[in-house]
Amino acid sequence: VDVETTGADTSRLLSDIDLVVVAESFAETYTGIASTGQALRALARDTGAALVVATLGERGSLAVCQDVEIATPAFPVDCVDSTGAGDVFRAGLAAGLLQQPNGSVEEILRYANAVAALNCRAVGACGGLPSATEVARLLAGDRA
C-alpha cells in the first residue's frame, strides 16, 4: 500500500498490509518519531508488515525488513523534473519484486531507485520512464 495521509481508518488498513511504502514525512507524522529509521521500525512493529519503506527523494530510500535497516542511495542523474518520482519508485519496486521474486531486498530497492531516478530526466510524472536496458545500464554503473 502507498499511504500519504493519516485518518481514522489508517491503522486498520495498515494492519492488513504486507508491504508499506510511504514518504519520509508520513512515517514521522504517523508514529510521532522524528528519526526515520526508528519511525519505520515502529510502523513495521505496529502493522506487522514484512517490509516498510520510506522514499527520501534525492537521498534514495530507507527500508526496514526483519528489524534490519536498509539504506539505498539515489542514483545521480541530470534531473529535469522530479514530479512522479515517488510513484515511479513504487512501480519500480513492484516490477523488481515480480522480476526477482527470490532477489534480495537490497537489489529490489536499488532497482526501484534506479527506475525513479531515470524518470526524473524528463518533464512530467512519467515523462522519463526508462526502458529495461536503461535501468540495467544504470545499475551496472553507467551514468544516465
Side-chain angles (χ1 to χ4, degrees), residues 9-129:
D9 295 325
T10 304
S11 293
R12 193 174 75 213
L13 170 67
L14 291 176
S15 68
D16 290 331
I17 305 300
D18 295 322
L19 171 57
V20 177
V21 181
V22 298
E24 180 177 22
S25 59
F26 176 88
E28 295 173 9
T29 300
Y30 182 80
T31 63
I33 300 171
S35 162
T36 304
Q38 291 176 1
L40 291 177
R41 277 191 169 82
L43 195 54
R45 186 176 50 253
D46 294 350
T47 64
L51 178 61
V52 179
V53 183
T55 56
L56 309 176
E58 63 188 22
R59 296 185 339 264
S61 63
L62 183 65
V64 170
C65 183
Q66 298 178 343
D67 205 37
V68 174
E69 253 183 52
I70 304 163
T72 311
F75 287 87
V77 295
D78 293 327
C79 182
V80 173
D81 183 5
S82 63
T83 302
D87 292 329
V88 173
F89 172 89
R90 288 155 178 80
L93 184 62
L97 287 165
L98 291 169
Q99 290 175 2
Q100 302 177 57
N102 297 315
S104 73
V105 174
E106 293 88 349
E107 290 171 347
I108 294 167
L109 289 168
R110 211 168 157 259
Y111 183 88
N113 276 314
V115 173
L118 289 168
N119 187 62
C120 295
R121 301 170 300 167
V123 174
C126 55
L129 285 175

